[in-house]
Amino acid sequence: MPPASLSLSVMPFPPEVRREAMVRSARHCCVCHRYKGVRVEVHHIVPEADGGPNIPDNAIVLCFDCHADAGHYNPRQPRGTKFSPQELRDAKEKWFSIVREGSLTSPETTPDVLYYRYLICRNLDIVAEILAGNFDHIPVEQPLLVQNDSSSFLGRLVDDVGRTSQTDVFNGGWFANRDEYLQAHPDASAVDRGGGNFSFYELLRVPTHEELLAKWSPGRPLIKRLIDSGAQPEDFSIVGSFFQQCGTGHFQEDLVLRPLWGVFLAVTNISDSPQTLKRLEAAGSPNKDFRPFQPLSDPPTELRLPAAPILSGATVVVPLGAVLGPLGRIEEEIWSRTDTDLKRWGPVQLVAHSGTKQAKAHALVGPFLWPKGLHVTSSGSNIYQEVHELDLTNVYMLDRYWEAGCCPHLFFLLEGAEVVYGGPLLAAGNSKNVISTFTVPMGVTRLLIAELEDEVTRLDHIWLDDQQNTPGRTLTRGQVLQLAVSPGVIVRIEGSYVPRVESSDGSENSSRRAMLVDEFIHSRTRSLHFSS
Ligand SMILES: [Zn+2]
């Protein structure tokens, strides 16, 4: 059984609350008043993260568009068209009264017996576990796995790509320093370190076809597969390089690939009685937001399902296929999330109801099953319940990763409130005291020392020129120390850091670190922009 906390964010409202909200709103969006049928979601007016309860009063029916707009409302950082809880409550009451007054009848004749969620697995271990029928760490109750062509395809793909390469980043060799690297790769260009994407790297370049095949593809058949299917290197890859201070100190390059995601449909019986699924009808062609890298031959138009009755509360998991996520930081709106610390074996697991904003950037890697609806035998009669299309703006993301576990990070706040990456700090200070020294660059007004990972940083002494400043600070994950400084000042910081979990191998760390650094810059730039 998965820990109880795993289930919370994934099926937050009890079925009777969902049902009541759907009926009272007649499956229309309470904000834009459009009838959206299956493309609606029951949303928390006050987010779960802020203590919003799973009761009817806190539930509102929204279409996927308005759902994305309602996400993450923060009164301290008003931005765009986000709706406040009060606005949502008002919209809901107004719409309920329109429906109540009978000026509109519910197009819904039978209540839903099934609840559909698309599960996006960003980690291939999770895909492999699901395919093996191991749901110990997957947040679905009473799971039943369907075997189909997609499960065979996903199984082969995971075997090919290799479960150990958990990430989309591959270490491509060491150079003594940046100059030596630039001699080998004169086409590499400097990264805008405040750009919010790839800020972690110093230099970036696009690899060539030949290089991808000769240098990077051995042992990684996905690369050859993508090239053979006509994908251009810039469609799916980039090479970033940086000075790796952790360890011996060298200039290192990484190949960054678009991440490979496994996609499943979870079908939950939310009725009070057993239901027999008969077959799934499929569209036979990709949704408009997805671009196949290779022509798809005969996509399936239906899937026969095992005729066994599915108990109330149980979930049938249908493998659909694989997509490539965006290159670099994923622009994501998260409505609810659960971080689960799988301490017994190290990695952190994240389950989030969320949506990516780069939905149209997604590419198909192989055959895919596009669900349209399910034929069900319910209390003796046959019914058909439509499935909403796969829409990456509204999915459930499952991710699992190792903490990178490498030192706190330094950022510079510039005049004009821009934040740029300054590099790792106390890099050699894993569990021992070291001193980092640097000169404050031009235009910098403040230092931000951030602990982005699950570890503890101790800053014992900070000197600005020869003046001691702010002694004895401890930073844990998410904490940031800000120091006002002037350009030209020599900063000396003495301290150490202690990772809570030692990561298993170093190869994947820069990917995770790059993501954390980009996230930090992005969030800081946004919050500074709106608080000033
Ligand atoms: Zn709407």
Side-chain angles (χ1 to χ4, degrees):
M1 280 295 289
S5 64
L6 270 181
S7 311
L8 286 179
S9 69
V10 174
M11 195 166 158
F13 287 109
E16 54 281 11
V17 175
R18 281 184 60 81
R19 214 169 296 153
E20 183 190 323
M22 291 292 197
V23 169
R24 292 187 69 190
S25 66
R27 280 186 174 273
H28 285 64
C29 172
C30 293
V31 167
C32 69
H33 299 180
R34 287 178 296 177
Y35 170 66
K36 284 291 189 168
V38 296
R39 287 178 51 82
V40 288
E41 184 64 55
V42 183
H43 177 78
H44 284 83
I45 293 175
V46 176
E48 283 176 293
D50 297 341
N54 292 324
I55 58 170
D57 186 52
N58 195 37
I60 183 170
V61 172
L62 296 176
C63 71
F64 290 179
D65 300 334
C66 294
H67 190 182
D69 281 344
H72 265 190
Y73 175 80
N74 182 343
R76 292 171 297 278
Q77 295 171 29
R79 105 188 136 98
T81 54
K82 300 290 184 209
F83 301 113
S84 71
Q86 194 51 51
E87 283 173 293
L88 291 176
R89 217 166 254 129
D90 292 348
K92 171 180 154 181
E93 287 315 314
K94 187 174 154 211
W95 181 246
F96 276 10
S97 75
I98 293 171
V99 176
R100 247 195 333 266
E101 282 157 17
S103 44
L104 152 145
T105 50
S106 171
E108 180 186 50
T109 49
T110 46
D112 289 349
V113 295
L114 304 173
Y115 174 42
Y116 302 117
R117 283 164 292 158
Y118 285 96
L119 306 180
I120 306 291
C121 303
R122 284 195 201 161
N123 176 299
L124 297 183
D125 264 349
I126 300 179
V127 174
E129 280 174 22
I130 292 178
L131 294 176
N134 171 5
F135 286 85
D136 288 354
H137 306 290
I138 317 295
V140 288
E141 303 293 329
Q142 305 175 61
L144 296 153
L145 178 72
V146 171
Q147 301 286 349
N148 60 3
D149 290 348
S150 295
S151 54
S152 325
F153 167 74
L154 278 169
R156 284 195 308 273
L157 193 62
V158 170
D159 283 348
D160 276 2
V161 173
R163 285 176 57 183
T164 48
S165 59
Q166 284 310 333
T167 74
D168 26 350
V169 168
F170 305 105
N171 184 333
W174 295 5
F175 296 79
N177 52 47
R178 181 184 164 119
D179 288 344
E180 189 183 289
Y181 182 77
L182 274 169
Q183 264 168 23
H185 297 289
D187 57 321
S189 60
V191 176
D192 169 10
R193 303 201 98 182
N197 214 354
F198 300 115
S199 308
F200 175 73
Y201 292 108
E202 288 179 37
L203 301 168
L204 286 180
R205 64 187 180 87
V206 176
T208 62
H209 268 116
E210 297 67 36
E211 177 193 350
L212 279 171
L213 286 172
K215 177 174 174 180
W216 302 98
S217 85
R220 298 171 198 116
L222 181 65
I223 293 175
K224 185 163 182 338
R225 206 179 275 205
L226 293 174
I227 287 179
D228 286 349
S229 63
Q232 297 301 313
E234 63 270 24
D235 285 341
F236 65 90
S237 66
I238 198 157
V239 173
S241 51
F242 66 107
F243 192 73
Q244 170 63 282
Q245 295 189 36
C246 301
T248 50
H250 56 269
F251 206 78
Q252 177 185 322
E253 73 170 358
D254 291 339
L255 175 70
V256 183
L257 293 180
R258 287 174 69 179
L260 184 64
W261 294 347
V263 187
F264 297 83
L265 179 71
V267 181
T268 303
N269 176 1
I270 53 168
S271 74
D272 299 328
S273 50
Q275 305 291 342
T276 304
L277 309 185
K278 303 193 76 170
R279 64 192 170 87
L280 181 149
E281 246 179 66
S285 60
N287 292 0
K288 58 186 184 320
D289 292 344
F290 295 84
R291 178 171 55 94
F293 274 144
Q294 53 207 127
L296 303 174
S297 54
D298 297 330
T301 53
E302 73 162 26
L303 173 70
R304 295 262 155 207
L305 294 164
I310 309 302
L311 297 177
S312 174
T315 297
V316 173
V317 176
V318 184
L320 301 180
V323 298
L324 287 187
L327 189 60
R329 189 175 57 84
I330 296 155
E331 272 221 58
E332 187 178 21
E333 206 62 78
I334 295 181
W335 299 297
S336 63
R337 66 183 275 169
T338 309
D339 288 309
T340 311
D341 205 354
L342 303 170
K343 255 186 233 170
R344 278 161 300 148
W345 36 288
V348 174
Q349 180 160 301
L350 162 70
V351 178
H353 179 197
S354 64
T356 61
K357 292 179 181 169
Q358 304 108 310
K360 296 205 189 302
H362 295 275
L364 292 176
V365 177
F368 207 95
L369 182 67
W370 299 99
K372 271 174 70 182
L374 271 157
H375 294 272
V376 186
T377 306
S378 180
S379 319
S381 57
N382 293 323
I383 60 168
Y384 176 74
Q385 197 186 315
E386 209 183 324
V387 183
H388 62 273
E389 279 191 345
L390 172 60
D391 174 347
L392 290 168
T393 64
N394 190 10
V395 292
Y396 288 82
M397 293 281 189
L398 278 67
D399 201 358
R400 192 183 288 167
Y401 49 83
W402 288 83
E403 291 286 347
C406 176
C407 68
H409 293 269
L410 174 67
F411 298 85
F412 296 122
L413 178 62
L414 308 183
E415 294 156 4
E418 192 192 352
V419 176
V420 299
Y421 185 48
L425 199 66
L426 306 173
N430 186 344
S431 307
K432 62 172 192 272
N433 256 35
V434 293
I435 295 181
S436 285
T437 305
F438 57 90
T439 305
V440 177
M442 290 303 293
V444 172
T445 61
R446 254 183 237 192
L447 307 180
L448 308 178
I449 300 170
E451 181 47 79
L452 305 179
E453 296 167 75
D454 200 2
E455 58 187 17
V456 178
T457 285
R458 270 189 28 224
L459 303 169
D460 291 331
H461 303 284
I462 300 177
W463 293 271
L464 301 180
D465 285 335
D466 284 328
Q467 288 207 313
Q468 187 154 341
N469 183 306
T470 331
R473 271 293 299 268
T474 299
L475 299 179
T476 56
R477 183 186 192 160
Q479 293 189 320
V480 183
L481 175 68
Q482 299 203 24
L483 275 183
V485 290
S486 318
V489 165
I490 295 170
V491 182
R492 267 197 314 147
I493 299 173
E494 181 182 346
S496 61
Y497 66 94
V498 182
R500 226 216 33 218
V501 179
E502 284 292 345
S503 114
S504 60
D505 81 85
S507 66
E508 61 198 335
N509 287 352
S510 47
S511 153
R512 177 79 195 129
R513 240 173 291 150
M515 202 78 95
L516 289 170
V517 165
D518 285 351
E519 274 300 335
F520 182 82
I521 290 177
H522 187 75
S523 66
R524 277 285 152 160
T525 304
R526 201 169 61 203
S527 67
L528 287 165
H529 181 70
F530 285 100
S531 65
S532 60

